[in-house]
Amino acid sequence: SISDMNEQIASAVEQQTTAADNISASLNRMSESTIDSTRHNEDLQRLNQEMESAISELDTGIQRHIG
């Protein structure tokens, strides 16, 4: 009957809405993870530059003492 088909359609729409909400939540989590990863990568690059600078300063100091 038409009433049964309407119930089936309503149920399918509800299931699709739930699935879409779950996908949206997953995409939001992935986006947040990507942002966190980018921040961590920037921190690592900064620390790497600081280490390179410190190594260069140590090398210069060593060369002065042994030079």
Side-chain angles (χ1 to χ4, degrees):
S1 76
I2 292 178
S3 178
D4 291 338
M5 289 192 327
N6 282 342
E7 286 181 29
Q8 289 176 347
I9 291 169
S11 177
V13 167
E14 185 176 333
Q15 289 173 357
Q16 289 178 344
T17 299
T18 298
D21 288 346
N22 289 338
I23 290 169
S24 179
S26 292
L27 289 172
N28 284 336
R29 285 192 301 274
M30 288 172 58
S31 177
E32 290 171 2
S33 292
T34 300
I35 290 168
D36 288 344
S37 293
T38 299
R39 286 185 186 136
H40 288 127
N41 186 45
E42 289 169 351
D43 289 344
L44 288 173
Q45 287 177 339
R46 181 183 49 77
L47 290 171
N48 186 48
Q49 289 171 347
E50 289 176 6
M51 286 177 60
E52 286 178 359
S53 178
I55 289 169
S56 178
E57 289 177 24
L58 283 172
D59 188 47
T60 300
I62 290 170
Q63 292 303 320
R64 270 193 248 135
H65 282 38
I66 64 172

